[in-house]
Amino acid sequence: MAHKNQTKCITSIGGQALMEGIMMRGPKRTVVACRLPDKRIETVDIEQTLLQERYPILKKPFIRGVVNMVQSFIIGFKALGISADFMATDETVEQSKFDKWCEEHFGDKLMGAMVGIAGFFGVCLAIGLFLFLPALIFNGLHALTGYNEGFTYWRSPIEGGLRIAIFIAYMFICSLMPSIKRMFQYHGAEHKTIFCYENQLELTVDNVRTQSRFHPRCGTSFLILMLIVGIVIGFFIPFSNPIIRTVCKLLLLPLSVSLGYELIKLCARHDNVLTRIIAAPGLWVQRITVKEPTDDMMEVAIRAMKEVIPENGEDLLRS
């Protein structure tokens, strides 16, 4: 590996675990690597238009977080579609009559439509579970206790605590499903491989295996930070109606995203007591969403990483 003269660095490379593969994002390329039924590893490039390069203002703090999240969603949906296409090539799985009918009538557009529909319902579920339900539960507790004086001041921390508890319970239940557990193992392979690269070690399975599976710049940590930031923001929402509070929180979501992103960047660039405290909740929750990978999963992650590493070292930034 190059860049031995840099004693401390961060990288702009990030990833996303898929059902049977990994997406890696580098400064110039985004690649999906998947393990095929015949055990080969296939890679596919994803087209990405980086608006930050065209409009430098989008790189500014408190703007870049929202832009990066939107682009991550778009690229992530493309990656899921590619991963699903790879899984659909498994000829050992017999198609049902409904599957065959859909394929005959919709062809290549079917998978994209299914991913879009699943994404829509996923967003609706997230809004209902993490925004509307906590507000509804608090109103129920308020009505049952009969406390008025001072009780409403606890609305935001109680709602926030419920939101975090629901999130952790939801992720734990999902982790019990064999397919999701396998995806979480790919998540671990992604983290370990990125750590191996950041530590300037040769990208081999033996080197990757020794790395930590918990990474401070993980999407799980980002979500937890957003939930915590949302507690602070909730203090400034005066409405008690669950629907109105949910709408307000949705409107203020870009603020939560921006603050959460800047905190993640802070933790990536500095290692001190403050940043360790900030990163700790996300690292704890990663014990649910990041599992120990197998060697063949690490091979997929290494293949994806090698595809996106630029030769000129522009992904290594001085802290």
Side-chain angles (χ1 to χ4, degrees):
M1 297 292 292
H3 325 298
K4 295 292 185 180
N5 60 320
Q6 290 183 288
T7 57
K8 190 176 181 182
C9 62
I10 62 170
T11 134
S12 62
I13 289 176
Q16 175 180 319
L18 305 171
M19 285 298 181
E20 283 298 332
I22 285 175
M23 178 192 77
M24 285 286 184
R25 294 181 62 187
K28 299 298 182 182
R29 294 178 64 192
T30 296
V31 170
V32 173
C34 286
R35 176 78 70 177
L36 299 183
D38 61 6
K39 305 304 179 183
R40 289 185 299 112
I41 300 174
E42 189 75 24
T43 62
V44 176
D45 277 78
I46 297 180
E47 289 187 19
Q48 57 178 348
T49 302
L50 296 178
L51 296 176
Q52 301 95 318
E53 302 301 325
R54 190 179 304 173
Y55 307 104
I57 192 174
L58 299 181
K59 295 180 180 179
K60 300 296 183 182
F62 304 105
I63 298 178
R64 57 191 177 186
V66 176
V67 176
N68 273 282
M69 191 183 80
V70 172
Q71 290 189 149
S72 294
F73 269 124
I74 294 172
I75 295 173
F77 274 120
K78 290 180 181 179
L80 287 172
I82 292 171
S83 174
D85 286 340
F86 278 129
M87 293 174 67
T89 61
D90 189 348
E91 297 178 355
T92 62
V93 179
E94 186 177 353
Q95 287 185 312
S96 66
K97 291 182 179 180
F98 178 73
D99 291 334
K100 292 178 181 178
W101 182 87
C102 288
E103 187 172 338
E104 290 174 0
H105 286 77
F106 298 101
D108 295 337
K109 296 180 180 179
L110 175 62
M111 194 55 66
M114 291 179 64
V115 170
I117 292 170
F120 172 77
F121 283 108
V123 170
C124 292
L125 177 64
I127 292 172
L129 278 179
F130 305 123
L131 296 179
F132 181 77
L133 183 59
L136 191 65
I137 291 175
F138 180 87
N139 283 359
L141 291 173
H142 191 193
L144 285 174
T145 57
Y147 291 116
N148 290 314
E149 188 67 29
F151 191 72
T152 54
Y153 292 111
W154 291 94
R155 173 182 288 278
S156 187
I158 291 176
E159 283 185 5
L162 288 169
R163 198 173 298 118
I164 293 172
I166 292 171
F167 175 76
I168 293 174
Y170 177 79
M171 297 309 296
F172 176 75
I173 292 171
C174 287
S175 71
L176 300 178
M177 301 169 59
S179 59
I180 301 299
K181 181 180 178 181
R182 186 167 177 81
M183 184 174 71
F184 287 169
Q185 286 180 285
Y186 271 110
H187 197 176
E190 170 216 326
H191 283 188
K192 282 174 169 282
T193 304
I194 291 176
F195 261 133
C196 184
Y197 178 63
E198 290 178 336
N199 291 331
Q200 302 177 36
L201 300 173
E202 183 181 359
L203 290 174
T204 65
V205 171
D206 288 337
N207 286 340
V208 169
R209 192 187 296 118
T210 62
Q211 305 302 309
S212 171
R213 73 177 196 265
F214 307 119
H215 201 290
R217 294 197 313 277
C218 173
T220 301
S221 296
F222 174 62
L223 289 174
I224 289 295
L225 284 174
M226 277 182 56
L227 293 175
I228 294 173
V229 168
I231 295 175
V232 178
I233 294 175
F235 279 109
F236 301 95
I237 300 177
F239 307 107
S240 60
N241 183 284
I243 296 177
I244 297 177
R245 283 189 68 83
T246 298
V247 171
C248 289
K249 285 186 175 292
L250 285 173
L251 293 175
L252 291 170
L253 188 59
L255 179 59
S256 297
V257 170
S258 299
L259 293 173
Y261 185 82
E262 296 306 321
L263 288 173
I264 284 285
K265 295 282 284 187
L266 180 68
C267 292
R269 290 185 177 274
H270 303 283
D271 183 15
N272 53 49
V273 175
L274 177 61
T275 57
R276 290 174 189 171
I277 292 173
I278 293 172
L283 293 173
W284 292 336
V285 180
Q286 283 183 44
R287 297 181 182 279
I288 298 174
T289 63
V290 186
K291 302 298 184 183
E292 198 65 39
T294 60
D295 286 358
D296 63 325
M297 292 176 179
M298 287 183 270
E299 289 174 357
V300 175
I302 290 171
R303 175 69 179 276
M305 173 66 81
K306 287 182 176 180
E307 293 285 335
V308 301
I309 295 174
E311 295 181 359
N312 60 4
E314 65 182 356
D315 57 310
L316 295 177
L317 308 176
R318 294 186 185 278
S319 11

